[in-house]
Amino acid sequence: MAVLLLGLIGGMAGITTADIPDLVGNWTGPYVEYKSGQGFSEVESGLFFLNITEQKDRIIIGYSSFKKRDGTEVTRELAGVISADGTELSLAEQNNGYSNGKIISPDEFELTYLSDNDPISVAIDKFYRITEN
């Protein structure tokens, strides 16, 4: 019984802040989207960006940005939460929708996006950390 209890306590202690990835930085990547009335679209990379400006434990904040077809730049605040085990990410974009996904590595994650705004839209986004050269 004591061995089982020690194993349980040891297992619970295994999740530490060291397991939570640092996501602060700039991110971009390809995505596939469906927008009601407009159909499907696919973009290779470099159109949609996330800038995670701050992280406190498992909570992140920042903004997303992209250019509309007419060249107008759109920027939205975002906030998110990393799962307790450091493997999943959930985001809310200001007046725009929600994303949930998997953290693949410290430099890569994938999100599925859902919005019930008019027109409704869904997307699968893959993000890679933009590194400075």
Side-chain angles (χ1 to χ4, degrees), residues 36-111:
S36 179
Q38 298 176 23
F40 291 93
S41 62
E42 189 169 345
V43 174
E44 285 299 318
S45 192
L47 179 68
F48 188 73
F49 297 90
L50 294 181
N51 183 343
I52 299 173
T53 58
E54 191 174 341
Q55 179 172 340
K56 181 170 175 61
D57 300 320
R58 295 174 29 222
I59 297 176
I60 62 170
I61 60 171
Y63 59 90
S64 64
S65 63
F66 66 94
K67 286 192 179 180
K68 290 184 174 183
R69 291 182 180 150
D70 67 5
T72 305
E73 186 160 337
V74 176
T75 300
R76 295 189 176 110
E77 289 185 48
L78 66 83
V81 176
I82 300 169
S83 64
D85 65 1
T87 64
E88 297 178 8
L89 178 62
S90 298
L91 298 177
E93 276 187 278
Q94 178 185 27
N95 301 319
N96 195 47
Y98 304 90
S99 297
N100 294 291
K102 183 86 173 157
I103 299 171
I104 298 165
S105 76
D107 296 320
E108 178 183 1
F109 58 86
E110 182 176 279
L111 298 174

Side-chain angles (χ1 to χ4, degrees), residues 33-38 113-122:
E33 175 182 44
Y34 170 79
K35 197 173 274 192
S36 179
Q38 298 176 23
Y113 165 80
L114 303 168
S115 175
D116 64 353
N117 290 340
D118 188 20
I120 64 169
S121 61
V122 296

